[in-house]
Amino acid sequence: MTNKIGLLLPRSVIYPKISFDIANGLKFGLANNDIKNIEIKTENIGLCNDSKLIYATCEKLLFDGANIIAGYVNPITANALEPLFAAADALFIALDSGMHYPVELVKNSHIITLSLDGALCNHAIATKVTSDNMKNVSFTCSFFDSGYRSALPFATSLNETGGKIVSNYITPLKRADYSLTKLEEQVTEENSDAIFTSSCGDMAQDFFNYLAKSKTLLEYPIYGSSYMAEEEWLAKINYPGTDIKVCVPWAKRLDNPANHKFIETMTSNKSRAGIFSLLGYDAASIISKIINANDVEEALVILDGLEFDSPRGKSVIDSTYNCIHAPIYLGWIQKDEQSKFCMLDPRESITNTDELRRLQYNDITASAGVYTSWVNAYPCIES
């Protein structure tokens, strides 16, 4: 279909290697699928918050001969790219954190969405909270996370399963002002059963560090978003003295052949196996299925309902919305006895993902056009 692939790469101060991870995942994933003689044309799109710039960059790559482009963008931007790719008879693979929602539920025929399912994981961990008989939950997140879909999916699933959020606390924007004193007061005053927290990177580190010193918070079961368990950061965060339950899209310790191959491929090429290189690697699996198609129309037929083996587990392209459905997993953030830092232990696959996606689609429909959010892609942030 093509011998030139476009790749839009983000920038993030808390994940400074994110662009290299995505690019290496794509490059070595293609090689692992025995795809050769492919030129990858990269373009940096900063914090992914300028849809006009991203549109123009895609247009440039299309004119340069790429008819498959992958890019780390939010769903609003992906929707806006559909007319361009339909007109160019080309395909865009939207790489996504899953912490935004699209503005509406539509099928973009020339857009395939490959997501890390951040919001879906929040749906799932809420059901774990109530199955653990925790009904009254204190919610806290970073100022950064408050601009994404942390609270909505968690609250929806919590309400559906008999629980409720009894207090909310957003931590200060400036790290120098970081404190959880208000949260300590809330859990006591509201008779909370548990705490749910959503942050990423150094903001998650701040939470762990404060937690380790808080006698009050350590008395409560704690549940977290998937990005609290991102393993690059976990490996340098001191264990806070209590395990934290999470739901994640992927973990290094997942035991399946595709994951073993992914880790072997990345490490043998002196690259990191993580959630962002995973996105590039899975994009390569999709591209490898259509690289020999005669045109985009044939490629779209091949992709319709396509199943493939991902390091995440058996994955399938949902024909209704052109998005990839992959397994998600319950896991525990625990102490690595060797390093004394945190580690992620995946325990079990979530089996009710169809029900969770129904709730997620209800959230999208209910909030269509009525909510605001940060426009940059999560977790792309400047210092």
Side-chain angles (χ1 to χ4, degrees), residues 28-59:
F28 299 129
L30 288 171
N32 186 54
N33 282 280
D34 202 31
I35 305 300
K36 302 173 181 177
N37 301 319
I38 292 293
E39 180 183 4
I40 301 174
K41 300 281 290 186
T42 62
E43 295 283 348
N44 189 286
I45 52 172
L47 303 179
C48 319
N49 57 354
D50 188 338
S51 291
K52 291 182 179 179
L53 169 65
I54 294 170
Y55 187 101
T57 303
C58 287
E59 197 172 43

Side-chain angles (χ1 to χ4, degrees), residues 159-236:
N159 292 337
E160 285 254 342
T161 51
K164 62 180 178 180
I165 293 176
V166 295
S167 69
N168 293 277
Y169 178 62
I170 298 174
T171 59
L173 173 61
K174 294 182 179 179
R175 294 188 72 191
D177 300 330
Y178 193 90
S179 172
L180 295 177
T181 301
K182 183 63 176 178
L183 178 63
E184 291 172 319
E185 295 171 357
Q186 289 175 337
V187 295
T188 303
E189 293 170 358
E190 302 297 336
N191 294 316
S192 300
D193 297 319
I195 298 166
F196 173 79
T197 180
S198 180
S199 294
C200 65
D202 54 7
M203 294 163 282
Q205 186 176 41
D206 289 338
F207 179 87
F208 282 100
N209 289 344
Y210 193 101
L211 175 63
K213 299 180 290 184
S214 174
K215 293 181 180 179
T216 299
L217 298 181
L218 284 171
E219 294 178 356
Y220 293 85
I222 298 176
Y223 301 79
S225 69
S226 60
Y227 288 89
M228 294 291 297
E230 192 283 311
E231 292 178 273
E232 178 185 349
W233 272 94
L234 276 189
K236 51 189 176 185

Side-chain angles (χ1 to χ4, degrees), residues 120-122 124-125 224-226 245-249 328-331 350:
L120 187 71
C121 288
N122 282 3
I125 197 62
S225 69
S226 60
K245 296 179 182 180
V246 292
C247 180
V248 295
I328 52 178
Y329 301 88
L330 283 176
I350 302 291

Side-chain angles (χ1 to χ4, degrees), residues 66-118:
N67 58 6
I68 300 176
I69 299 174
Y72 192 82
V73 299
N74 66 52
I76 296 172
T77 297
N79 283 350
L81 291 174
E82 169 65 19
L84 172 64
F85 280 81
D89 199 25
L91 183 68
F92 185 78
I93 302 174
L95 311 178
D96 177 34
S97 70
M99 290 294 272
H100 271 294
Y101 277 165
V103 291
E104 58 181 335
L105 278 174
V106 295
K107 179 176 181 176
N108 291 314
S109 297
H110 292 73
I111 311 291
I112 305 293
T113 299
L114 175 56
S115 175
L116 290 173
D117 283 330

Side-chain angles (χ1 to χ4, degrees), residues 248-264:
V248 295
W250 173 83
K252 288 181 180 178
R253 296 177 67 185
L254 288 181
D255 187 13
N256 67 67
N259 193 42
H260 298 324
K261 183 63 177 178
F262 167 57
I263 293 172
E264 176 189 342

